[in-house]
Amino acid sequence: MGTNNNTAVRVSEFIITGFDHVSHQKLLGSVILIAYVLILFFCSTNFSIIVADRRLHSPMYVFICNLAIVDIIFSTSSCITMIVVLLAEMKRISFYSCFTSMFFYHLGDVTSTLTLTWMAVDRMLAISLPLRYNSILTSRRCIMSIVATWIIAMIALSTTAEAAYNIPYCQPIIRYVFCDYAAMIRAGCANPIPYFSIPSLVGWWLWLLGGHFSLIFLTYVVIVWTVLRLSDKGSKKKMFSTCISHIIVVSVYYAPKLISVLLTRVGVNLNLTERNAVLIVASTLPPLINPITYCLTTKELRTRLVNFFTKNRVEIK
């Protein structure tokens, strides 16, 4: 695929150079470290609360639990590299560590897309078909959908992983802030254009399977249409409040992607520093906002979290 350079070698390690032009590296590294710690705390909190309480073993909370796992994988695959480079000043990363980080980063990304789509469908069924909701989306079907999500994501990434593994490399330089598919392909000495067509094909395949923003948008069209038909204002407010968490999460997840696409469409080409800034935001903000949003806006999770800390404070006294 593409024209190979005769100087290509199988590199044993890469050097991350994406932060070389950043002036306040320690400050940025500290911010990313704090964000990562908060991600682990809130994701683990949501996961523990849901697993420990059988009353929360409903489809909506199972999806939240799955999203917490995805966020931990997604953030860990990128944040660890950035923290080590910025705070420990260790720019070198082995080829297999870089490749593994790349795989799990995109696994988390694809799984997030599919999970958010399932969560939108869950809210649509709960609001549009409340009497049939429990019979349509049973616990078994919920678990099957989550398993299918992971299987689809792994199959989708098999081709990109193979391409990144087999591309010839001329120099061990990663010009981005962590290892992702684009960073590894651009580190190769083959023509990158054919390699970048692979994610596009994977994206179309996922689009056909329903893992995309447009399907989420359509589910909310159905939700809005259903809610507007209600005559009771209290019911309308309650219905919309059940969706606010998901709306926030979807907005934060897709905002960096949509901004990049829109800027490209209008002819604005981001330089390397700007692309790295978008990468940092896209890899840290969604997994940070997701668990905090669900923890603070979902009554059941918020109540159990407050009770936990209140109980511990009383016991300490």
Side-chain angles (χ1 to χ4, degrees):
M1 185 178 294
T3 303
N4 295 348
N5 191 311
N6 292 329
T7 61
V9 295
R10 169 56 69 188
V11 298
S12 60
E13 64 179 13
F14 290 108
I15 301 175
I16 308 291
T17 63
F19 291 111
D20 284 0
H21 301 293
V22 177
S23 55
H24 302 288
Q25 294 189 9
K26 297 294 184 183
L27 176 60
L28 178 59
S30 299
V31 171
I32 295 174
L33 176 60
I34 293 172
Y36 181 59
V37 171
L38 290 175
I39 289 169
L40 294 180
F41 172 76
F42 281 102
C43 285
S44 301
T45 299
N46 287 353
F47 181 86
S48 301
I49 291 175
I50 293 170
V51 171
D53 194 337
R54 293 184 61 86
R55 291 170 295 180
L56 298 181
H57 292 182
S58 61
M60 184 183 78
Y61 292 103
V62 173
F63 284 129
I64 293 175
C65 198
N66 181 59
L67 186 62
I69 297 173
V70 173
D71 286 335
I72 291 176
I73 293 174
F74 182 66
S75 59
T76 299
S77 62
S78 58
C79 289
I80 292 297
T81 301
M82 293 190 287
I83 291 169
V84 170
V85 172
L86 290 169
L87 297 183
E89 298 182 359
M90 296 172 59
K91 297 182 180 181
R92 296 181 181 272
I93 181 172
S94 70
F95 172 83
Y96 291 105
S97 295
C98 187
F99 177 80
T100 303
S101 297
M102 180 275 298
F103 179 82
F104 281 104
Y105 174 77
H106 292 292
L107 178 66
D109 193 24
V110 174
T111 310
S112 292
T113 302
L114 296 171
T115 300
L116 291 176
T117 303
W118 273 114
M119 295 174 82
V121 172
D122 169 72
R123 291 299 85 204
M124 181 189 70
L125 292 174
I127 293 174
S128 302
L129 301 169
L131 298 180
R132 298 177 57 192
Y133 171 74
N134 290 327
S135 61
I136 295 175
L137 195 59
T138 61
S139 298
R140 178 183 174 133
R141 289 174 180 171
C142 178
I143 297 298
M144 289 176 62
S145 67
I146 291 175
V147 173
T149 293
W150 286 92
I151 293 175
I152 291 171
M154 290 182 181
I155 293 174
L157 289 175
S158 60
T159 52
T160 55
E162 182 182 4
Y165 186 83
N166 292 323
I167 188 173
Y169 294 96
C170 300
Q171 54 183 349
I173 302 296
I174 296 291
R175 299 171 60 204
Y176 292 79
V177 292
F178 58 83
C179 297
D180 68 348
Y181 181 77
M184 295 193 70
I185 294 302
R186 293 193 183 280
C189 52
N191 179 12
I193 296 178
Y195 288 91
F196 282 124
S197 65
I198 296 176
S200 299
L201 294 174
V202 172
W204 277 108
W205 184 61
L206 291 174
W207 189 90
L208 293 174
L209 291 175
H212 51 87
F213 178 76
S214 55
L215 180 58
I216 295 176
F217 179 78
L218 289 176
T219 60
Y220 275 97
V221 170
V222 175
I223 289 173
V224 171
W225 181 74
T226 302
V227 172
L228 290 178
R229 294 172 60 196
L230 299 175
S231 57
D232 183 40
K233 292 184 178 180
S235 299
K236 289 182 179 180
K237 183 178 180 180
K238 183 178 179 181
M239 293 295 183
F240 277 124
S241 65
T242 62
C243 300
I244 189 63
S245 299
H246 187 259
I247 292 174
I248 294 173
V249 168
V250 169
S251 300
V252 172
Y253 175 77
Y254 278 102
K257 301 177 185 294
L258 293 177
I259 290 173
S260 298
V261 171
L262 290 175
L263 289 177
T264 303
R265 291 292 175 87
V266 298
V268 177
N269 293 320
L270 300 177
N271 59 39
L272 185 60
T273 302
E274 292 168 340
R275 289 179 181 275
N276 282 333
V278 172
L279 269 177
I280 294 172
V281 172
S283 61
T284 56
L285 192 60
L288 175 62
I289 296 299
N290 293 353
I292 293 176
T293 298
Y294 281 112
C295 192
L296 298 182
T297 63
T298 306
K299 181 180 178 182
E300 288 79 4
L301 292 178
R302 184 176 66 250
T303 301
R304 283 160 178 77
L305 183 62
V306 171
N307 290 341
F308 174 78
F309 284 111
T310 303
K311 180 181 178 181
N312 284 350
R313 187 171 64 180
V314 172
E315 289 178 352
I316 293 175
K317 289 181 178 181

